[in-house]
Amino acid sequence: MFPPIPSWDGLHPIIIHFPIALLLIAPIIIIIGLFMPKNGRTFFLSAFVLMLIGTIATFIAVSTGNAAGELAEHVNNVESVLEEHEELAETTRTVFAILTAIFGVIVFAPMLFKKELSRVITIPLNLAFLLFYGSGAVLLMNTAHQGGRLVHEFGVRAVVSSTAQNSQGTVPAKSRKHDDDDD
């Protein structure tokens, strides 16, 4: 028997790992593309697709997080960390939307103009982009850290079923032990 599909607010812990993984792998693919000039365009396209999917996932993660945040507000002493996590998440979403658009221009402008850029231009352009992308990655990691604090310091958990939820929106300690056994 399959487990029940979580509600929108319960999807947040599942969704959040996609943008983290995809957006942190994309710069590695760009670097590989820089070192493999014959296949560089393929790697850059792959990195763009990872960024695009990761950025779309940030929009879904923020939406599910907003729904989950309404339940988390009922947990004691969580307000400041929750607010910081929400603000960081919204900023992260915006930053990666901008970064993905910029990289899209870097990748697709030469194709549109049917003009191949020389490596003298491609390498510094991509390295400059990676410098800005690094700032976005730090922002993403800070967002993830605050979310981790909500879970590991304050015990905020997603509601999986109505029987597993107590009045504060967290999973009871008995159920939490079983959740921690899986980690």
Side-chain angles (χ1 to χ4, degrees), residues 67-83 86 146-159 164-172 176:
E70 291 176 19
L71 294 173
E73 290 172 351
H74 296 76
V75 177
N76 294 332
N77 302 321
V78 77
E79 297 84 16
S80 66
V81 176
L82 180 61
E83 186 175 316
E86 288 174 350
Q146 293 302 321
R149 286 188 64 205
L150 290 170
V151 172
H152 299 290
E153 281 183 38
F154 296 97
V156 174
R157 298 278 193 252
V159 177
Q165 180 184 8
N166 69 17
S167 63
Q168 292 186 336
T170 59
V171 177
R176 225 183 271 154

Short mmCIF file of all heavy atoms in Angstrom, two decimals, residues 67-83 86 146-159 164-172 176:
data_model
loop_
_atom_site.label_atom_id
_atom_site.label_comp_id
_atom_site.label_asym_id
_atom_site.label_seq_id
_atom_site.Cartn_x
_atom_site.Cartn_y
_atom_site.Cartn_z
N ALA A 67 2.37 27.67 2.71
CA ALA A 67 1.28 26.87 3.29
C ALA A 67 1.75 26.17 4.55
O ALA A 67 1.04 26.15 5.57
CB ALA A 67 0.77 25.86 2.26
N ALA A 68 2.95 25.61 4.53
CA ALA A 68 3.49 24.92 5.71
C ALA A 68 3.78 25.91 6.83
O ALA A 68 3.64 25.57 8.00
CB ALA A 68 4.75 24.14 5.33
N GLY A 69 4.16 27.12 6.46
CA GLY A 69 4.47 28.14 7.46
C GLY A 69 3.28 28.51 8.32
O GLY A 69 3.43 28.85 9.49
N GLU A 70 2.08 28.43 7.74
CA GLU A 70 0.88 28.71 8.52
C GLU A 70 0.72 27.71 9.66
O GLU A 70 0.28 28.07 10.74
CB GLU A 70 -0.34 28.71 7.61
CG GLU A 70 -0.35 29.89 6.64
CD GLU A 70 -1.51 29.85 5.68
OE1 GLU A 70 -2.51 29.15 5.95
OE2 GLU A 70 -1.42 30.53 4.65
N LEU A 71 1.10 26.47 9.41
CA LEU A 71 1.04 25.46 10.48
C LEU A 71 2.19 25.64 11.47
O LEU A 71 2.02 25.45 12.67
CB LEU A 71 1.11 24.05 9.88
CG LEU A 71 -0.07 23.63 9.01
CD1 LEU A 71 0.21 22.29 8.35
CD2 LEU A 71 -1.35 23.57 9.83
N ALA A 72 3.37 26.02 10.95
CA ALA A 72 4.55 26.16 11.81
C ALA A 72 4.40 27.32 12.78
O ALA A 72 5.04 27.31 13.83
CB ALA A 72 5.80 26.34 10.95
N GLU A 73 3.58 28.31 12.45
CA GLU A 73 3.40 29.45 13.34
C GLU A 73 2.84 29.05 14.69
O GLU A 73 2.97 29.79 15.66
CB GLU A 73 2.47 30.48 12.68
CG GLU A 73 3.10 31.19 11.51
CD GLU A 73 2.13 32.05 10.73
OE1 GLU A 73 0.90 31.99 11.00
OE2 GLU A 73 2.59 32.79 9.84
N HIS A 74 2.26 27.86 14.78
CA HIS A 74 1.68 27.39 16.04
C HIS A 74 2.72 26.77 16.97
O HIS A 74 2.43 26.45 18.10
CB HIS A 74 0.57 26.37 15.76
CG HIS A 74 -0.58 26.97 15.01
ND1 HIS A 74 -0.51 27.25 13.66
CD2 HIS A 74 -1.80 27.37 15.41
CE1 HIS A 74 -1.65 27.78 13.27
NE2 HIS A 74 -2.46 27.87 14.32
N VAL A 75 3.95 26.60 16.49
CA VAL A 75 5.02 26.04 17.31
C VAL A 75 5.64 27.17 18.13
O VAL A 75 5.87 28.26 17.61
CB VAL A 75 6.09 25.36 16.41
CG1 VAL A 75 7.25 24.84 17.25
CG2 VAL A 75 5.46 24.23 15.60
N ASN A 76 5.91 26.92 19.38
CA ASN A 76 6.43 27.95 20.28
C ASN A 76 7.80 28.46 19.85
O ASN A 76 8.66 27.68 19.44
CB ASN A 76 6.52 27.40 21.71
CG ASN A 76 5.15 27.11 22.29
OD1 ASN A 76 4.17 27.74 21.91
ND2 ASN A 76 5.09 26.15 23.20
N ASN A 77 8.02 29.77 19.99
CA ASN A 77 9.31 30.44 19.79
C ASN A 77 9.90 30.30 18.39
O ASN A 77 11.10 30.39 18.21
CB ASN A 77 10.33 29.94 20.82
CG ASN A 77 9.86 30.15 22.23
OD1 ASN A 77 9.26 31.17 22.55
ND2 ASN A 77 10.10 29.17 23.08
N VAL A 78 9.09 30.08 17.39
CA VAL A 78 9.59 29.83 16.04
C VAL A 78 9.48 31.06 15.12
O VAL A 78 10.04 31.07 14.04
CB VAL A 78 8.87 28.61 15.43
CG1 VAL A 78 7.47 28.98 14.98
CG2 VAL A 78 9.65 27.99 14.31
N GLU A 79 8.79 32.10 15.59
CA GLU A 79 8.43 33.21 14.72
C GLU A 79 9.61 33.86 14.00
O GLU A 79 9.57 34.07 12.79
CB GLU A 79 7.66 34.30 15.50
CG GLU A 79 6.34 33.85 16.06
CD GLU A 79 6.48 33.14 17.41
OE1 GLU A 79 7.54 33.25 18.08
OE2 GLU A 79 5.54 32.45 17.80
N SER A 80 10.67 34.20 14.72
CA SER A 80 11.78 34.93 14.10
C SER A 80 12.52 34.08 13.07
O SER A 80 12.88 34.57 11.99
CB SER A 80 12.75 35.47 15.15
OG SER A 80 13.39 34.41 15.83
N VAL A 81 12.76 32.83 13.39
CA VAL A 81 13.45 31.94 12.44
C VAL A 81 12.57 31.67 11.24
O VAL A 81 13.05 31.68 10.09
CB VAL A 81 13.88 30.62 13.13
CG1 VAL A 81 14.51 29.66 12.13
CG2 VAL A 81 14.84 30.91 14.27
N LEU A 82 11.28 31.47 11.45
CA LEU A 82 10.34 31.23 10.36
C LEU A 82 10.28 32.45 9.44
O LEU A 82 10.33 32.30 8.21
CB LEU A 82 8.95 30.90 10.90
CG LEU A 82 7.86 30.62 9.87
CD1 LEU A 82 8.23 29.43 9.01
CD2 LEU A 82 6.53 30.40 10.57
N GLU A 83 10.21 33.63 10.02
CA GLU A 83 10.15 34.85 9.21
C GLU A 83 11.44 35.02 8.39
O GLU A 83 11.39 35.36 7.21
CB GLU A 83 9.93 36.07 10.11
CG GLU A 83 9.71 37.35 9.33
CD GLU A 83 9.38 38.51 10.25
OE1 GLU A 83 8.56 38.34 11.16
OE2 GLU A 83 9.96 39.59 10.02
N GLU A 86 11.41 32.52 5.53
CA GLU A 86 10.47 32.94 4.47
C GLU A 86 11.07 34.07 3.64
O GLU A 86 10.98 34.04 2.40
CB GLU A 86 9.14 33.39 5.08
CG GLU A 86 8.32 32.24 5.62
CD GLU A 86 7.06 32.71 6.35
OE1 GLU A 86 6.91 33.93 6.60
OE2 GLU A 86 6.23 31.84 6.67
N GLN A 146 18.31 27.87 7.53
CA GLN A 146 17.20 28.34 8.37
C GLN A 146 16.06 27.33 8.38
O GLN A 146 15.42 27.11 9.41
CB GLN A 146 16.72 29.72 7.92
CG GLN A 146 17.73 30.83 8.15
CD GLN A 146 18.14 30.95 9.61
OE1 GLN A 146 17.34 30.81 10.53
NE2 GLN A 146 19.42 31.19 9.83
N GLY A 147 15.79 26.72 7.23
CA GLY A 147 14.77 25.67 7.19
C GLY A 147 15.17 24.48 8.04
O GLY A 147 14.34 23.89 8.75
N GLY A 148 16.45 24.12 7.99
CA GLY A 148 16.94 23.03 8.84
C GLY A 148 16.82 23.35 10.31
O GLY A 148 16.50 22.48 11.12
N ARG A 149 17.05 24.60 10.66
CA ARG A 149 16.86 25.01 12.06
C ARG A 149 15.42 24.81 12.49
O ARG A 149 15.15 24.37 13.62
CB ARG A 149 17.25 26.48 12.24
CG ARG A 149 18.73 26.73 12.21
CD ARG A 149 19.06 28.15 12.59
NE ARG A 149 18.66 28.40 13.98
CZ ARG A 149 18.37 29.60 14.45
NH1 ARG A 149 18.43 30.67 13.67
NH2 ARG A 149 18.01 29.76 15.71
N LEU A 150 14.48 25.16 11.60
CA LEU A 150 13.07 24.98 11.95
C LEU A 150 12.77 23.52 12.27
O LEU A 150 12.04 23.23 13.22
CB LEU A 150 12.17 25.46 10.80
CG LEU A 150 12.14 26.96 10.57
CD1 LEU A 150 11.43 27.28 9.27
CD2 LEU A 150 11.47 27.67 11.74
N VAL A 151 13.34 22.63 11.51
CA VAL A 151 13.09 21.20 11.71
C VAL A 151 13.86 20.67 12.91
O VAL A 151 13.28 20.03 13.79
CB VAL A 151 13.45 20.40 10.43
CG1 VAL A 151 13.40 18.90 10.69
CG2 VAL A 151 12.54 20.79 9.29
N HIS A 152 15.17 20.93 12.95
CA HIS A 152 16.01 20.26 13.94
C HIS A 152 16.09 20.97 15.29
O HIS A 152 16.31 20.32 16.30
CB HIS A 152 17.41 20.04 13.36
CG HIS A 152 17.38 19.17 12.16
ND1 HIS A 152 17.09 17.82 12.22
CD2 HIS A 152 17.55 19.45 10.84
CE1 HIS A 152 17.10 17.31 11.00
NE2 HIS A 152 17.38 18.28 10.13
N GLU A 153 15.89 22.29 15.33
CA GLU A 153 15.90 22.99 16.60
C GLU A 153 14.50 23.12 17.21
O GLU A 153 14.34 23.03 18.42
CB GLU A 153 16.46 24.41 16.44
CG GLU A 153 17.96 24.48 16.37
CD GLU A 153 18.46 25.92 16.28
OE1 GLU A 153 17.88 26.80 16.95
OE2 GLU A 153 19.42 26.14 15.52
N PHE A 154 13.52 23.36 16.34
CA PHE A 154 12.18 23.66 16.84
C PHE A 154 11.19 22.52 16.64
O PHE A 154 10.06 22.60 17.09
CB PHE A 154 11.64 24.94 16.17
CG PHE A 154 12.45 26.15 16.52
CD1 PHE A 154 13.45 26.60 15.67
CD2 PHE A 154 12.25 26.83 17.70
CE1 PHE A 154 14.21 27.71 15.99
CE2 PHE A 154 13.00 27.95 18.03
CZ PHE A 154 13.99 28.39 17.18
N GLY A 155 11.60 21.49 15.93
CA GLY A 155 10.73 20.32 15.74
C GLY A 155 9.57 20.53 14.79
O GLY A 155 8.59 19.80 14.84
N VAL A 156 9.68 21.51 13.91
CA VAL A 156 8.61 21.74 12.94
C VAL A 156 8.62 20.58 11.95
O VAL A 156 9.65 20.24 11.38
CB VAL A 156 8.80 23.09 12.20
CG1 VAL A 156 7.78 23.25 11.10
CG2 VAL A 156 8.74 24.24 13.18
N ARG A 157 7.47 19.98 11.76
CA ARG A 157 7.34 18.83 10.86
C ARG A 157 6.15 19.04 9.95
O ARG A 157 5.19 19.72 10.30
CB ARG A 157 7.10 17.54 11.66
CG ARG A 157 8.22 17.17 12.60
CD ARG A 157 9.31 16.45 11.84
NE ARG A 157 10.23 15.81 12.75
CZ ARG A 157 11.47 16.24 12.95
NH1 ARG A 157 11.90 17.30 12.33
NH2 ARG A 157 12.27 15.61 13.78
N ALA A 158 6.21 18.42 8.80
CA ALA A 158 5.08 18.45 7.88
C ALA A 158 4.00 17.52 8.40
O ALA A 158 4.29 16.49 9.00
CB ALA A 158 5.51 18.00 6.49
N VAL A 159 2.78 17.91 8.15
CA VAL A 159 1.66 17.07 8.54
C VAL A 159 1.43 16.05 7.43
O VAL A 159 1.19 16.41 6.28
CB VAL A 159 0.39 17.93 8.77
CG1 VAL A 159 -0.79 17.04 9.11
CG2 VAL A 159 0.64 18.94 9.85
N ALA A 164 -1.63 11.97 12.67
CA ALA A 164 -0.26 12.17 13.16
C ALA A 164 -0.03 13.58 13.66
O ALA A 164 1.05 13.92 14.09
CB ALA A 164 0.74 11.85 12.05
N GLN A 165 -1.04 14.44 13.60
CA GLN A 165 -0.87 15.84 13.98
C GLN A 165 -1.46 16.10 15.36
O GLN A 165 -2.55 15.65 15.66
CB GLN A 165 -1.56 16.73 12.95
CG GLN A 165 -1.43 18.20 13.26
CD GLN A 165 -2.21 19.06 12.29
OE1 GLN A 165 -2.96 18.55 11.48
NE2 GLN A 165 -2.05 20.35 12.40
N ASN A 166 -0.71 16.84 16.17
CA ASN A 166 -1.29 17.28 17.43
C ASN A 166 -1.74 18.72 17.27
O ASN A 166 -1.66 19.30 16.21
CB ASN A 166 -0.31 17.08 18.60
CG ASN A 166 0.89 18.02 18.52
OD1 ASN A 166 0.88 19.01 17.81
ND2 ASN A 166 1.94 17.67 19.26
N SER A 167 -2.18 19.33 18.32
CA SER A 167 -2.76 20.68 18.23
C SER A 167 -1.74 21.75 17.86
O SER A 167 -2.13 22.84 17.47
CB SER A 167 -3.42 21.03 19.56
OG SER A 167 -2.45 21.06 20.59
N GLN A 168 -0.45 21.49 17.98
CA GLN A 168 0.55 22.50 17.65
C GLN A 168 1.09 22.35 16.23
O GLN A 168 2.00 23.06 15.84
CB GLN A 168 1.71 22.45 18.63
CG GLN A 168 1.30 22.88 20.02
CD GLN A 168 2.51 22.95 20.93
OE1 GLN A 168 3.51 22.30 20.71
NE2 GLN A 168 2.39 23.75 21.97
N GLY A 169 0.59 21.43 15.44
CA GLY A 169 1.04 21.27 14.06
C GLY A 169 2.33 20.50 13.93
O GLY A 169 2.97 20.52 12.91
N THR A 170 2.73 19.80 15.00
CA THR A 170 3.95 19.00 14.93
C THR A 170 3.57 17.53 15.12
O THR A 170 2.49 17.20 15.58
CB THR A 170 4.96 19.39 16.02
OG1 THR A 170 4.35 19.20 17.30
CG2 THR A 170 5.41 20.83 15.86
N VAL A 171 4.49 16.67 14.76
CA VAL A 171 4.26 15.25 14.95
C VAL A 171 4.60 14.91 16.39
O VAL A 171 5.61 15.36 16.92
CB VAL A 171 5.16 14.44 13.98
CG1 VAL A 171 5.00 12.96 14.19
CG2 VAL A 171 4.82 14.82 12.55
N PRO A 172 3.76 14.11 17.05
CA PRO A 172 4.03 13.75 18.44
C PRO A 172 5.40 13.07 18.58
O PRO A 172 5.91 12.49 17.64
CB PRO A 172 2.90 12.78 18.80
CG PRO A 172 1.83 13.05 17.80
CD PRO A 172 2.51 13.55 16.57
N ARG A 176 7.80 11.12 16.03
CA ARG A 176 9.04 11.79 15.65
C ARG A 176 10.21 10.83 15.74
O ARG A 176 11.10 10.85 14.92
CB ARG A 176 9.28 12.98 16.58
CG ARG A 176 9.69 14.20 15.81
CD ARG A 176 10.00 15.33 16.72
NE ARG A 176 8.77 16.08 16.95
CZ ARG A 176 8.54 16.79 18.00
NH1 ARG A 176 9.44 16.90 18.95
NH2 ARG A 176 7.41 17.43 18.15
#
